[in-house]
């Protein structure tokens, strides 16, 4: 249950922020013609295929478990698959969080030179 709360809050906050960042970089590319902004846009939007390709399986396991345990007040799940899925989900989300940061770093690096 805790995972589903974290997932919902992250999705509600993170998705608009990433889309806004990508839109800003795309607008800068359009306005300036500088391809570094295109690279930054692509970096932000790379979250989508990353999520579809790598997070699909852990999400399936975790959503199914959250649905099963919706009325269960157990603090921990003993299911090894759930523990592995949570670990994988956490690790992949930490990696995924760097995509917009990489886009911003590309722009900052190109403008600092």
């Amino acid at each position: 249950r805790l995972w589903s709360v974290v997932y919902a809050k992250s999705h509600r906050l993170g998705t608009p922020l990433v889309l806004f960042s990508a839109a800003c970089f795309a607008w800068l590319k359009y306005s300036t013609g500088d391809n570094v902004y295109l690279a930054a846009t692509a970096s932000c939007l790379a979250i989508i295929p990353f999520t579809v390709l790598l997070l699909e399986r852990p999400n399936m396991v975790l959503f199914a478990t959250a649905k099963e345990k919706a009325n269960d007040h157990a603090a921990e799940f003993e299911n090894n698959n759930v523990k592995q899925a949570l670990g994988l989900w956490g690790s992949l989300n930490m990696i995924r969080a760097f995509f917009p940061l990489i886009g911003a770093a590309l722009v900052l690096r190109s403008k600092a030179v």
Side-chain angles (χ1 to χ4, degrees):
R1 288 181 14 191
L2 180 59
W3 172 84
S4 61
V5 171
V6 170
Y7 178 89
K9 286 182 180 181
S10 299
H11 186 68
R12 232 176 307 142
L13 178 65
T15 301
L17 288 175
V18 169
L19 293 175
F20 179 72
S21 299
C24 289
F25 287 135
W27 180 80
L28 287 167
K29 162 59 175 140
Y30 174 76
S31 298
T32 66
D34 192 344
N35 283 335
V36 72
Y37 296 116
L38 180 61
T41 302
S43 180
C44 287
L45 294 178
I47 287 176
I48 296 166
F50 183 88
T51 301
V52 170
L53 294 173
L54 297 177
L55 281 171
E56 181 181 9
R57 181 151 170 79
N59 280 350
M60 286 178 16
V61 170
L62 295 171
F63 277 124
T65 303
K67 188 176 180 180
E68 285 177 18
K69 302 291 182 179
N71 296 323
D72 188 2
H73 297 290
E76 291 184 39
F77 301 124
E78 293 301 316
N79 188 337
N80 194 35
N81 287 339
V82 174
K83 288 181 182 181
Q84 287 178 344
L86 276 173
L88 183 58
W89 184 84
S91 299
L92 291 175
N93 268 296
M94 288 301 294
I95 294 167
R96 192 172 74 145
F98 284 102
F99 286 111
L101 181 63
I102 291 168
L106 285 171
V107 170
L108 290 173
R109 175 69 177 129
S110 75
K111 300 305 173 190
V113 174

